[in-house]
C-alpha cells in the first residue's frame, strides 16, 4: 500500500540540523500520523507521498520549506511584571537561554526563549526553535494503512477532539485557540455546531 491521502503512516527518522542529530525516532517507537491532514511539514509529506513500507528517504528542507525564516516581529520585549506568579516575579525563570511557555492571544501555548533580562523588561524570542534552520531528514517508511472513520474524525491519537466536542482544528498543533460558532480560534472551520 502506498502513502496517500488519509493513510496512516508509521516511519522512523533522524533529523540533523547544523551537523547534529536533534531529533529521532526508532522502529520500536516510530512516528505515526494521518497523511494529508497537515500533521507533517508539507514538503516532507510531499517527499514521502507514494512511498511504500520499506522505502527509505533522505530529504533536505530549506528554512522556507521547514519552519520559516527567523521573524524579527516575533522577538519582543515584555515587562517583567508579565512573569509574575502569585504576586512575585519568577526571577529564577528569567535566565537567558531558558524556554518559558507563553500564552498567545488565542489562548494557545507557544514556547518563548529568554534572550535578555533588564531591570524592567525581558526580551523573548517567540520564533519556532527550528526557524532559520536547514533540516535534513533520513528515515524509513515502516507501515501504511487506511485510516478508520473514527481516526479521520477524532485524529489518530484524539488530537482533533476539543472541549466543545467538535471535530477539532485539524493540523494546527493545538494552536487554534479553541472552537466558537463553528470556527477555530484561528478563523478556520472546525465543524462545531
Amino acid at each position: 500500500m502506498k502513502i496517500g491521502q488519509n493513510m496512516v503512516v508509521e516511519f522512523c527518522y533522524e533529523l540533523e540540523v547544523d551537523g547534529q542529530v536533534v531529533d529521532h525516532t526508532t522502529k520500536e517507537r516510530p512516528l505515526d500520523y494521518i497523511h494529508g491532514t497537515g500533521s507533517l511539514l508539507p514538503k516532507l509529506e510531499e517527499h514521502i507521498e507514494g512511498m511504500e513500507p520499506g522505502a527509505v528517504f533522505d530529504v533536505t528542507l530549506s528554512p522556507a520549506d521547514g519552519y520559516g525564516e527567523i521573524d524579527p516581529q516575533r522577538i519582543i520585549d515584555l515587562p517583567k511584571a508579565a512573569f509574575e506568579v502569585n504576586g512575585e516575579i519568577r526571577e529564577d525563570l528569567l535566565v537567558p537561554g531558558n524556554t518559558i511557555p507563553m500564552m498567545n492571544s488565542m489562548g494557545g501555548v507557544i514556547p518563548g526563549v529568554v534572550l535578555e533580562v533588564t531591570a524592567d523588561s525581558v526580551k523573548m524570542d517567540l520564533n519556532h526553535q527550528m526557524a532559520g534552520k536547514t533540516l535534513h531528514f533520513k528515515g524509513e517508511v515502516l507501515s501504511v494503512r487506511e485510516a478508520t472513520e473514527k481516526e479521520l474524525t477524532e485524529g489518530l491519537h484524539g488530537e482533533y477532539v476539543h472541549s466543545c466536542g467538535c471535530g477539532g482544528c485539524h493540523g494546527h498543533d493545538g494552536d487554534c485557540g479553541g472552537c466558537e460558532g463553528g470556527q477555530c480560534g484561528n478563523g478556520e472551520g472546525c465543524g462545531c455546531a
Side-chain angles (χ1 to χ4, degrees):
M1 193 170 276
K2 292 184 178 185
I3 297 175
Q5 184 70 31
N6 294 334
M7 303 299 268
V8 174
V9 180
E10 282 189 325
F11 68 92
C12 57
Y13 71 93
E14 185 175 274
L15 170 58
E16 190 176 289
V17 175
D18 298 330
Q20 302 234 319
V21 174
V22 297
D23 193 16
H24 74 282
T25 62
T26 63
K27 288 183 178 183
E28 296 76 30
R29 295 186 58 112
L31 174 71
D32 58 355
Y33 75 101
I34 301 174
H35 195 79
T37 60
S39 299
L40 291 185
L41 292 168
K43 289 291 183 179
L44 176 59
E45 192 168 20
E46 183 180 301
H47 183 80
I48 66 173
E49 186 155 346
M51 290 186 170
E52 297 180 286
V56 295
F57 58 90
D58 188 329
V59 61
T60 299
L61 303 181
S62 68
D65 291 334
Y67 291 96
E69 298 293 346
I70 293 175
D71 181 356
Q73 302 271 5
R74 294 183 60 85
I75 298 173
I76 60 172
D77 288 308
L78 295 171
K80 258 191 173 177
F83 299 90
E84 200 172 282
V85 177
N86 296 328
E88 285 189 44
I89 294 174
R90 292 286 311 268
E91 298 282 350
D92 59 317
L93 297 177
L94 303 180
V95 177
N98 247 11
T99 300
I100 299 174
M102 306 292 292
M103 184 122 11
N104 67 16
S105 62
M106 295 178 290
V109 176
I110 55 173
V113 176
V114 177
L115 297 179
E116 183 182 328
V117 181
T118 67
D120 300 319
S121 67
V122 180
K123 185 179 291 290
M124 299 290 294
D125 184 350
L126 304 180
N127 284 287
H128 189 281
Q129 66 179 3
M130 292 293 163
K133 305 283 186 185
T134 297
L135 311 175
H136 182 203
F137 289 93
K138 293 188 286 191
E140 179 182 352
V141 177
L142 302 175
S143 69
V144 180
R145 68 171 173 81
E146 289 186 34
T148 66
E149 281 303 314
K150 182 175 181 179
E151 289 168 336
L152 292 173
T153 302
E154 297 179 8
L156 195 55
H157 304 286
E159 61 271 24
Y160 302 159
V161 179
H162 290 272
S163 59
C164 70
C166 69
C169 305
H170 304 269
H172 295 287
D173 299 327
D175 191 21
C176 71
C179 301
E180 282 188 35
Q183 296 290 312
C184 288
N186 64 5
E188 295 186 19
C190 68
C192 292

